[in-house]
Amino acid sequence: MTTYTEITTIPEWQNVLQQSKEKPVLVFKHSTTCPVSAAAYKEFTSIATEVDAYLVKVIESRPVSKEIESDLSVQHKSPQILLVSNGESVWNDSHWNITEKNIEKAIEAQ
């Protein structure tokens, strides 16, 4: 099961973005009011990985969500998962495509 750290501030996000320059990180953008996002959250938390994982609640932490969209030039969707390496999104997916299998495949490709 994935353990993750929640990002709630822009400085926390900037630290994660910097960390991605050392090793890839996984960022899951989650809507706490959406059933599709709840299903994706289960997939996200079910993976077993050594990659550091982060969660952003898009409603509660909207400025962080917008900053991620801006910094990575990836249009916001919710739910959305991003694999970030060297300060860039090297893979992202959304909605029903967020599956344990797809996440693990993306991590292995790195």
Side-chain angles (χ1 to χ4, degrees), residues 64-109:
V64 176
S65 179
K66 289 184 177 293
E67 187 74 15
I68 292 169
E69 178 180 29
S70 173
D71 289 347
L72 299 180
S73 300
V74 175
Q75 182 180 1
H76 168 74
K77 296 178 183 173
S78 178
Q80 184 174 48
I81 193 157
L82 305 107
L83 186 60
V84 183
S85 183
N86 292 318
E88 298 179 356
S89 173
V90 294
W91 171 80
N92 72 84
D93 222 326
S94 67
H95 297 84
W96 295 110
N97 290 327
I98 300 173
T99 64
E100 183 178 353
K101 183 178 178 181
N102 287 346
I103 298 166
E104 289 172 347
K105 195 184 318 181
I107 291 169
E108 288 171 15

Side-chain angles (χ1 to χ4, degrees), residues 7-50:
I7 303 170
T8 58
T9 68
I10 291 173
E12 288 172 346
W13 160 244
Q14 293 300 327
N15 287 337
V16 170
L17 193 58
Q18 274 302 118
Q19 178 189 335
S20 79
K21 295 179 181 178
E22 304 295 321
K23 61 182 182 174
V25 298
L26 204 53
V27 179
F28 178 66
K29 294 172 80 177
H30 177 49
S31 171
T32 53
T33 62
C34 172
V36 175
S37 196
Y41 175 82
K42 286 181 184 177
E43 295 287 325
F44 166 66
T45 58
S46 68
I47 64 169
T49 181
E50 297 296 314

